[in-house]
């Protein structure tokens, strides 16, 4: 319902500002203050310091951050390639097979990350494929946890992409590989960037279970 009167619009904007500030800005402000707080025993911090940020970029803490960034980047890149490939391939299949394989792709996202870590430990702790305690099992764990979201983002982008662009390129003599690199992928670029960003954020958020797996293996 449209609001035409000026007082009503002002009231709605005030309500929006209050809800947005309480639900989104206030938690972010508390996190920022916590990262800068020297001690926090009352309503506000007793003092501010940048020592916490300095500790992150040196010593063992920096090694952990660097390992998480590298793992997240590589796992997200691998998930982006495989998810894009799967979405493009399923687009050519029939509706029933497309729904079935798409559902299978999303199943890992319904499993808790701890269960995924335990399953990988059980599966790869014995010969002939012994990966327990290696970097490979960490990459596999991150890939399993984030690949469904990458596939979902790219599939949503393909669903919004009009087939007219590829049909026009095909009528002009463009080969399938040329259409993919010069028509389809450029049009999907915003969705690919969003998929990579989401996968990287999820990978960074799921760093605990694989790290726990490595410590258990050691």
């Amino acid at each position: 319902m449209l609001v035409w009167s000026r007082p009503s619009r002002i009231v709605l904007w005030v309500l929006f500002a209050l809800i947005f500030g309480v639900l989104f800005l206030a938690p972010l402000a508390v996190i920022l203050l916590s990262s800068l707080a020297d001690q926090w025993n009352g309503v506000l911090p007793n003092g501010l310091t940048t020592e916490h940020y300095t500790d992150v970029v040196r010593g063992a803490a920096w090694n952990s951050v660097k390992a998480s960034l590298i793992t997240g980047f590589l796992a997200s890149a691998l998930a982006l390639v495989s998810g894009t490939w799967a979405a493009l391939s399923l687009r050519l299949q029939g509706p029933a097979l497309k729904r079935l394989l798409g559902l299978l792709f999303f199943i890992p996202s319904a499993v808790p990350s701890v269960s995924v870590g335990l399953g990988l430990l059980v599966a790869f702790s014995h010969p002939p494929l012994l990966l327990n305690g290696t970097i490979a099992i960490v990459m596999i764990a991150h890939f399993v946890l984030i690949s469904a979201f990458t596939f979902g983002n790219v599939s949503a982008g393909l669903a919004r992409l009009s087939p007219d662009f590829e049909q026009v390129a095909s009528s002009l003599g463009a080969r399938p590989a040329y259409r993919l690199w010069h028509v389809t992928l450029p049009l999907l670029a915003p969705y690919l960037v969003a998929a990579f960003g989401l996968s990287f954020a999820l990978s960074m958020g799921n760093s605990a279970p694989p790290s726990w797996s490595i410590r258990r293996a050691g």
Side-chain angles (χ1 to χ4, degrees):
M1 182 178 66
L2 297 177
V3 179
W4 298 104
S5 65
R6 181 179 175 84
S8 299
R9 289 199 298 269
I10 293 176
V11 171
L12 288 178
W13 276 110
V14 170
L15 287 175
F16 170 77
L18 287 175
I19 295 174
F20 183 78
V22 172
L23 295 181
F24 294 97
L25 294 184
L28 293 176
V30 171
I31 293 173
L32 179 62
L33 278 177
S34 300
S35 67
L36 294 172
D38 185 14
Q39 289 187 350
W40 197 334
N41 299 321
V43 178
L44 294 175
N46 297 334
L48 299 178
T49 178
T50 59
E51 184 178 355
H52 306 306
Y53 288 97
T54 305
D55 292 339
V56 170
V57 296
R58 66 185 180 189
W62 171 240
N63 292 333
S64 299
V65 172
K66 186 168 60 176
S68 297
L69 290 173
I70 294 174
T71 302
F73 180 83
L74 294 178
S76 300
L78 181 61
L80 180 62
V81 173
S82 63
T84 304
W85 187 5
L88 289 171
S89 300
L90 288 183
R91 187 179 58 161
L92 305 176
Q93 306 302 321
L97 182 61
K98 183 178 179 180
R99 284 195 296 270
L100 175 61
L101 295 180
L103 178 62
L104 293 177
F105 226 97
F106 279 105
I107 286 179
S109 63
V111 180
S113 58
V114 175
S115 300
V116 172
L118 289 174
L120 291 173
L121 283 174
V122 173
F124 298 117
S125 294
H126 304 284
L129 191 55
L130 182 60
L131 298 179
N132 196 349
T134 64
I135 297 298
I137 198 171
V138 178
M139 295 298 299
I140 293 173
H142 280 251
F143 174 78
V144 169
L145 292 171
I146 66 178
S147 58
F149 299 96
T150 305
F151 171 75
N153 270 280
V154 179
S155 297
L158 282 173
R160 292 176 175 270
L161 185 64
S162 174
D164 295 342
F165 297 104
E166 292 182 328
Q167 291 174 1
V168 169
S170 179
S171 66
L172 294 175
R175 296 180 179 275
Y178 188 91
R179 294 200 304 269
L180 175 64
W181 287 104
H182 296 279
V183 178
T184 305
L185 291 182
L187 291 174
L188 281 177
Y191 297 94
L192 298 178
V193 173
F196 181 84
L198 178 61
S199 299
F200 185 77
L202 292 172
S203 178
M204 294 293 292
N206 286 308
S207 296
S211 301
W212 166 77
S213 303
I214 289 290
R215 287 197 295 270
R216 183 179 185 272

